[in-house]
């Protein structure tokens, strides 16, 4: 049987593939060898043309028969933009997985949003990708979100190709963009192509490796013609070809040796070296084109096949729990022979026109229609009546999927980031997607009370789809609060509520999501007793509240260390409930408590008068006691900010960070550009974009990512606490108390 045999060469694999299809009458797509699979993402700064490029790819690969311009005259919008709002804005907010076929290879494209506020979407997409295309605008070059996605690609070790788009635009300068990539992004990058003609006169491109001119003829550039290199470009082509070989030789041993020995590498040798170094993320091939004018897209697809890794060339790990309660990393086997246990990751949920869809990537093994799979986290089982593959508005049923495939399921109840397995005993889960804590919150209310139902439905769906979008009801202020990764993140959801749920909402001002935490351990002993009249209440809790280490300061922890019968086990849930209820809203500034562990050491109960409620109240009393007697501090989200500016602005930009209580963590650069890294409280970052623009005459770019929560400065703490006291009408009493305690001193 074909399974289990190892064929070294593609041609053999292909033959085996055809043979197997005849034998098993399974559709060809389902059993393609790994070499014929690519899982790629397209990442870019907004407006670089990612959506247009994706649409062109779908057109050339035969998945769509028509092309539309984003926000084009026909008002239809590109195929990937299926949401109404995206049509309006022309930006892609949600990633959708789509698969297509190019030269017999399955390419799964995960469309990734570019805006910094949707980084969790990008993070999710990058987690399941093996390679990416970084789209840059030939005019704009490296822009703020390019920095963000570049950093994310590094975090997830994603090899990439660069595509410099919009060659046709006035002021297009791919040479400057390449310089930018080297100086601002730190890529060892070189052109694989050169443009023929400039701006609106761009006629085609030259392939440097094969020394060929490529022209894109016909109405939609689908007729490719090859020709000689224009006479006036010959010198430039040789020069840039040499530059390419040099850049690759610097990081590739084989080509490097040939270079030193002054041997001329063949085209094949150059391509192999590019593939090796691109996969190792040591070299970034740069391709050119204009998606809108239908030039350069097919060679880009060829490059995806030639240089980006197949799923078998990427190492993926899962986490296995060992007997001593620790976890160890297990290397997964991406072989498509189906002999390893099935494991897949749900990386995106989407409630769309097809109903509830869950996008998954299979990392190991095989799944067939009719199988029953288990959600590792919840242990819930699901029988699969359908397996599908999608592109934005079409879907294709498949019977089987294998390691490396991206697919979707219907009606599965799960959260994004959940692991699915076929064998319930398999004690293994995929690393969870990095999900940052929400850092900004706003009040939210439906404009019309009659829309309450729709409001709840929308909230339920969005919070399920997006783990960084959260909802809570603040019962003190009687307002609903949403929190997320940035202002725009929350605004987009507000707009979607109106568009998709017919429920217009009002959003309040953005507020930083501060937290409250204990400074040092506090021993509590609280006795809640009410034993006269009616049902009595009797509960005593004794223990220690202590701060968690800084790297766990967004968590809450409870440990039951009691021994003996003083606190019967049935009351422990009540104590946990009381602790969690108090943690919703700290007494110091009204923000959530985090970074605290409650250790219950002892207590007391009464055979008749103790109840869950009594223990809830006793626990709440203990925490109030901690507020009266112990020291607390405010934590705030710290952002990692990356700024790229012309060198002359280095001093002023650093000065700005100092003013904003930032800490410069490093800088690097070339003669012209410098990248400055700093950690700055989010609270000081409002309005930064405008300030940077005016300080650098619009030349500076920045991006930021949440890193952690840290204690605020005493000034910020004072301000946060005062604002809270004022808003709750307690300020005067506080000031009076402070005055009299000073007097008493
Ligand atoms: P995205 O935000 O990166 O998805 O970018 P879009 O694909 O939505 O494109 C943004 C705008 O740039 C749209 O108006 C496109 O028509 C336009 N655009 C895309 N590619 C090109 C190109 O190659 N040349 C020019 N001149 N415009 C382009």
């Amino acid at each position: 049987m074909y399974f289990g045999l190892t064929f070294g060469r593609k041609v053999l694999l292909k033959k085996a593939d055809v043979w197997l299809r005849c034998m098993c009458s399974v559709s060809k797509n389902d059993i393609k060898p790994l070499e014929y699979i690519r899982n790629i993402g397209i990442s870019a700064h907004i407006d670089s043309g990612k959506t247009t490029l994706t649409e062109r790819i779908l057109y050339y690969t035969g998945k769509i028969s028509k092309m539309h311009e984003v926000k084009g005259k026909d008002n239809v919008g590109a195929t990937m933009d299926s949401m109404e709002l995206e049509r309006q804005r022309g930006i892609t907010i949600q990633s959708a997985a789509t698969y297509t076929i190019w030269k017999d290879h399955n390419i799964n494209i995960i469309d990734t949003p570019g805006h910094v506020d949707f980084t969790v979407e990008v993070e999710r997409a990058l987690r399941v990708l093996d390679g990416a295309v970084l789209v840059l605008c030939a005019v704009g070059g490296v822009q703020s979100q390019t920095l963000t996605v570049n950093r994310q690609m590094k975090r997830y070790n994603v090899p990439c190709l660069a595509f410099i788009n919009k060659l046709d635009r006035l002021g297009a300068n791919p040479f400057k963009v390449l310089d930018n990539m080297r100086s601002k992004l730190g890529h060892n990058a070189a052109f694989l192509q050169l443009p023929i003609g400039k701006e609106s006169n761009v006629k085609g491109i030259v392939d440097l490796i094969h020394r060929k001119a490529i022209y894109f003829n016909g109405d939609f550039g689908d007729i490719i013609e090859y020709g000689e290199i224009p006479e006036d470009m010959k010198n430039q082509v040789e020069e840039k070809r040499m530059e390419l070989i040099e850049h690759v030789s610097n990081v590739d041993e084989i080509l490097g040796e040939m270079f030193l020995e002054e041997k001329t590498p063949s085209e094949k040798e150059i391509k192999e070296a590019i593939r090796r170094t691109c996969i190792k993320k040591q070299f970034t091939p740069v391709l050119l084109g204009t998606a809108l004018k239908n030039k350069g897209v097919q060679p880009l697809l060829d490059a995806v096949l030639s240089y980006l890794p197949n799923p078998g060339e990427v190492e993926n790990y899962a986490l296995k729990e060992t007997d001593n309660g620790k976890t160890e990393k297990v290397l997964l086997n991406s072989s498509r022979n189906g002999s390893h246990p099935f494991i897949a990751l749900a990386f995106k949920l989407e409630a769309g026109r097809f109903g509830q869809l869950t996008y998954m990537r299979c990392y190991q093994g095989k799944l067939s229609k009719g199988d029953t799979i288990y959600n590792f986290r919840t242990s819930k089982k699901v029988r699969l009546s359908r397996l599908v593959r999608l592109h934005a508005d079409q879907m294709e049923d498949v019977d089987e999927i294998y390691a490396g495939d991206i697919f979707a399921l219907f009606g599965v109840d799960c959260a994004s980031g959940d692991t699915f397995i076929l064998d319930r005993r398999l004690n293994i889960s995929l690393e969870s997607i990095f999900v940052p804590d929400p850092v900004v919150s706003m009040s939210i209310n439906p404009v019309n009370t009659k829309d309450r139902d729709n409001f709840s439905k929308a909230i339920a769906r969005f919070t399920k789809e997006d783990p960084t979008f959260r909802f809570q009801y603040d019962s003190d202020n009687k307002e609903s609060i949403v929190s997320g990764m940035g202002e725009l993140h929350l605004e987009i959801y507000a707009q979607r509520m109106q568009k998709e749920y017919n429920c217009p909402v009002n959003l309040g001002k953005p507020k930083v999501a501060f937290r409250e935490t204990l400074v040092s351990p506090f021993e509590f002993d609280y006795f809640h007793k009410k034993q006269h009249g009616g049902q009595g209440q009797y509960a005593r809790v004794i223990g220690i509240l202590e701060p968690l280490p800084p790297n766990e300061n967004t968590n809450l922890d409870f440990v039951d260390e009691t021994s003996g019968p003083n606190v019967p086990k049935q009351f422990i849930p009540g104590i946990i409930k009381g602790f969690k209820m108090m943690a919703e809203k700290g007494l110091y500034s009204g923000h959530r408590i985090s970074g605290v562990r409650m250790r219950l050491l002892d207590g007391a109960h009464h055979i008749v008068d103790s109840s869950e409620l009594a223990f809830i109240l006793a626990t709440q009393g203990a925490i109030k006691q901690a507020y009266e007697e112990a020291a607390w501090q405010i934590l705030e989200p710290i952002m990692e900010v990356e700024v790229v500016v012309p060198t002359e602005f280095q001093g002023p930009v650093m000065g700005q960070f100092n003013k904003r209580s930032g800490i410069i963590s490093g800088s690097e650069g070339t003669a012209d550009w410098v990248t400055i890294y700093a950690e700055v409280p989010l609270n000081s970052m409002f309005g930064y974009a405008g300030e940077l623009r005016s300080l650098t005459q619009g030349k500076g770019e920045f991006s930021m990512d949440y890193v952690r929560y840290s204690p605020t400065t005493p000034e910020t703490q004072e301000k946060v606490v005062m604002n809270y006291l004022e808003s709750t009408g307690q300020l005067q009493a506080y000031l009076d108390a402070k005055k009299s305690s000073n007097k008493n001193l």
Side-chain angles (χ1 to χ4, degrees):
M1 184 78 191
Y2 156 68
F3 291 146
L5 292 182
T6 316
F7 292 97
R9 301 176 66 92
K10 276 183 188 170
V11 61
L12 283 179
L13 284 165
K14 243 174 143 179
K15 275 186 188 158
D17 186 16
V18 172
W19 175 77
L20 186 70
R21 263 188 294 142
C22 302
M23 298 291 292
C24 311
S25 65
V26 176
S27 97
K28 182 181 178 198
N29 299 334
D30 297 342
I31 49 161
K32 275 200 176 146
L34 278 172
E35 288 84 342
Y36 285 75
I37 313 253
R38 296 290 179 279
N39 291 319
I40 63 160
I42 302 181
S43 293
H45 180 89
I46 276 176
D47 259 10
S48 310
K50 190 188 59 193
T51 312
T52 313
L53 175 65
T54 309
E55 196 194 32
R56 275 7 177 213
I57 291 176
L58 296 181
Y59 174 77
Y60 294 126
T61 56
K63 277 284 160 180
I64 54 171
S65 52
K66 265 194 284 193
M67 289 199 285
H68 306 287
E69 200 180 314
V70 178
K71 287 193 265 178
K73 284 188 216 95
D74 56 3
N75 241 347
V76 181
T79 299
M80 289 293 278
D81 280 359
S82 48
M83 285 193 312
E84 180 76 15
L85 188 74
E86 294 188 40
R87 281 178 207 274
Q88 270 188 9
R89 290 201 166 208
I91 59 172
T92 310
I93 297 155
Q94 279 191 303
S95 54
T98 184
Y99 108 97
T100 193
I101 298 174
W102 180 247
K103 299 194 173 162
D104 220 19
H105 288 64
N106 283 15
I107 303 180
N108 290 300
I109 305 168
I110 318 284
D111 185 30
T112 54
H115 195 279
V116 66
D117 281 342
F118 303 113
T119 48
V120 70
E121 295 275 351
V122 186
E123 306 260 358
R124 275 181 195 159
L126 292 184
R127 171 71 173 79
V128 298
L129 296 177
D130 302 317
V133 175
L134 179 65
V135 184
L136 296 118
C137 169
V139 182
V142 170
Q143 293 166 283
S144 57
Q145 275 98 60
T146 327
L147 299 178
T148 307
V149 293
N150 187 55
R151 194 164 56 229
Q152 288 162 334
M153 280 189 205
K154 267 197 214 158
R155 183 186 291 156
Y156 286 99
N157 274 328
V158 180
C160 76
L161 302 174
F163 181 69
I164 302 180
N165 187 34
K166 303 200 185 184
L167 279 187
D168 61 309
R169 270 187 62 188
L170 190 69
N173 186 348
F175 300 94
K176 200 183 103 200
V177 181
L178 176 63
D179 274 352
N180 272 196
M181 284 188 64
R182 291 173 179 162
S183 59
K184 294 185 180 181
L185 300 181
H187 281 239
N188 174 32
F191 286 130
L192 263 53
Q193 301 164 340
L194 282 178
I196 304 173
K198 259 185 92 176
E199 299 170 349
S200 57
N201 282 325
V202 66
K203 294 190 178 66
I205 51 178
V206 168
D207 175 339
L208 292 177
I209 300 174
H210 302 99
R211 295 189 174 94
K212 256 189 307 194
I214 310 176
Y215 299 98
F216 306 86
N217 297 327
D219 285 348
F220 297 109
D222 26 18
I223 305 168
I224 294 193
E225 279 170 23
Y226 296 99
E228 291 301 314
I229 298 169
E231 203 55 43
D232 60 347
M233 284 185 72
K234 284 197 165 148
N235 287 343
Q236 192 196 15
V237 167
E238 287 315 307
E239 184 198 318
K240 294 293 170 193
R241 193 174 192 272
M242 202 47 175
E243 189 178 304
L244 165 68
I245 295 174
E246 270 180 42
H247 275 80
V248 182
S249 299
N250 283 340
V251 286
D252 184 69
E253 227 171 272
I254 302 174
L255 209 65
E257 234 162 70
M258 292 183 80
F259 189 76
L260 287 179
E261 290 168 11
E262 292 183 20
K263 280 190 194 155
T264 313
S266 66
E267 291 169 3
K268 187 168 164 275
E269 283 165 336
I270 299 174
K271 287 179 76 173
E272 284 170 355
I274 294 176
R275 178 174 183 79
R276 278 193 298 272
T277 51
C278 178
I279 291 176
K280 284 194 212 146
K281 298 163 288 288
Q282 293 169 334
F283 173 73
T284 309
V286 181
L287 295 107
L288 307 170
T290 151
L292 189 65
K293 300 290 157 61
N294 308 315
K295 291 181 173 55
V297 178
Q298 300 94 325
L300 173 69
L301 282 166
D302 290 342
V304 165
L305 308 189
S306 300
Y307 308 123
L308 290 181
N310 68 56
E313 290 169 305
V314 179
E315 289 186 345
N316 287 299
Y317 292 88
L319 298 173
K320 194 176 173 68
E321 231 170 82
T322 58
D323 294 340
N324 58 9
K326 294 210 167 117
T327 47
E328 65 180 24
K329 272 181 155 191
V330 183
L331 183 64
L332 297 172
N333 190 311
S334 53
S335 140
R336 283 166 77 80
N337 63 15
S339 65
H340 292 85
F342 168 80
I343 180 162
L345 178 79
F347 66 93
K348 179 163 180 63
L349 309 186
E350 203 175 75
R353 47 198 295 195
F354 300 119
Q356 156 85 48
L357 266 184
T358 305
Y359 287 85
M360 300 214 193
R361 167 160 176 170
C362 174
Y363 281 94
Q364 184 175 274
K366 164 192 164 188
L367 188 66
S368 308
K369 206 167 92 174
D371 279 347
T372 298
I373 54 172
Y374 294 89
N375 182 331
F376 180 76
R377 182 175 57 87
T378 61
S379 297
K380 273 193 195 152
K381 65 177 180 180
V382 197
R383 192 169 173 277
L384 304 174
S385 51
R386 277 182 89 180
L387 284 175
V388 294
R389 280 205 283 231
L390 287 112
H391 96 70
D393 55 4
Q394 287 161 31
M395 110 168 78
E396 185 182 305
D397 275 274
V398 288
D399 293 330
E400 281 167 343
I401 62 93
Y402 294 84
D405 283 340
I406 286 182
F407 62 104
L409 303 176
F410 280 97
V412 175
D413 184 21
C414 70
S416 173
D418 279 352
T419 295
F420 282 86
I421 43 182
L422 199 54
D423 181 349
R424 204 184 209 165
R425 291 159 304 177
L426 192 72
N427 196 15
I428 195 169
S429 93
L430 287 153
E431 290 168 85
S432 176
I433 292 173
F434 173 84
V435 178
D437 279 317
V439 288
V440 171
S441 61
M442 291 181 181
S443 66
I444 187 168
N445 273 305
V447 174
N448 311 308
T449 36
K450 70 173 174 48
D451 295 335
R452 279 264 156 218
D453 269 6
N454 283 355
F455 178 74
S456 310
K457 272 188 212 154
I459 290 283
R461 176 179 146 200
F462 297 151
T463 48
K464 197 166 183 183
E465 280 178 15
D466 178 353
T468 59
F469 179 67
R470 309 217 182 133
F471 175 83
Q472 84 194 79
Y473 183 70
D474 175 354
S475 48
D476 289 357
N477 295 327
K478 308 243 175 328
E479 57 181 13
S480 303
I481 307 281
V482 279
S483 38
M485 299 319 295
E487 268 178 273
L488 185 63
H489 188 200
L490 300 178
E491 279 164 11
I492 291 284
Y493 280 118
Q495 292 184 31
R496 287 185 61 186
M497 284 184 193
Q498 173 158 13
K499 292 273 162 215
E500 297 168 36
Y501 287 85
N502 214 357
C503 169
V505 291
N506 290 323
L507 282 177
K509 270 201 192 141
K511 286 188 199 146
V512 169
F514 292 102
R515 301 277 175 95
E516 297 182 14
T517 197
L518 257 183
V519 176
S520 49
F522 171 74
E523 289 179 16
F524 62 85
D525 178 352
Y526 195 87
F527 200 172
H528 176 74
K529 200 166 96 172
K530 218 175 97 195
Q531 283 180 307
H532 33 264
Q535 161 87 50
Q537 287 178 14
Y538 188 105
R540 183 175 179 187
V541 287
I542 300 171
I544 299 172
L545 280 175
E546 60 187 21
L548 288 168
N551 61 348
E552 292 174 37
N553 68 7
T554 53
N555 300 347
L556 272 184
D557 200 10
F558 174 87
V559 201
D560 175 14
E561 294 180 23
T562 55
S563 54
N566 290 354
V567 185
K569 293 292 172 225
Q570 78 258 30
F571 296 127
I572 300 294
I575 297 174
I576 297 175
K577 218 187 248 177
F579 178 43
K580 286 197 174 152
M581 280 159 78
M582 283 305 283
E584 286 294 307
K585 191 168 178 146
L587 301 179
Y588 194 31
S589 68
H591 291 98
R592 271 170 59 196
I593 299 177
S594 72
V596 175
R597 173 183 290 131
M598 177 173 183
R599 291 168 56 200
L600 184 72
L601 301 178
D602 203 355
H605 78 288
H606 183 276
I607 203 79
V608 178
D609 290 344
S610 282
S611 61
E612 180 179 80
L613 178 66
F615 274 95
I616 290 177
L617 293 172
T619 309
Q620 291 181 332
I623 295 182
K624 283 182 193 150
Q625 198 178 41
Y627 268 98
E628 276 161 25
E629 295 171 30
W632 291 77
Q633 65 184 357
I634 307 284
L635 300 173
E636 65 181 335
I638 303 292
M639 310 302 279
E640 187 178 51
V641 185
E642 185 177 335
V643 190
V644 179
V645 289
T647 323
E648 71 224 64
F649 300 115
Q650 181 167 6
V653 167
M654 286 184 162
Q656 252 183 356
F657 281 139
N658 288 336
K659 256 197 272 163
R660 290 173 184 267
S661 320
I663 294 170
I664 313 276
S665 45
S667 69
E668 59 188 19
T670 56
D672 304 324
W673 291 90
V674 60
T675 307
I676 302 161
Y677 303 95
E679 290 189 354
V680 192
L682 173 65
N683 198 36
S684 320
M685 286 304 288
F686 290 121
Y688 182 69
E691 205 176 297
L692 181 71
R693 212 176 303 124
S694 58
L695 189 79
T696 62
Q697 295 147 21
K699 292 180 190 150
E701 296 288 350
F702 87 102
S703 81
M704 59 180 183
D705 259 352
Y706 160 77
V707 261
R708 64 168 175 278
Y709 271 82
S710 281
T712 60
T713 58
E715 299 78 54
T716 308
Q717 177 150 329
E718 168 101 11
K719 226 184 259 170
V720 173
V721 173
M722 290 300 163
N723 284 345
Y724 174 66
L725 293 175
E726 195 175 357
S727 71
T728 51
Q730 304 173 68
L731 186 60
Q732 201 48 51
Y734 170 80
L735 293 176
D736 291 346
K738 205 171 166 189
K739 223 185 203 168
S740 73
S741 76
N742 280 346
K743 246 188 232 161
N744 291 342
L745 277 176

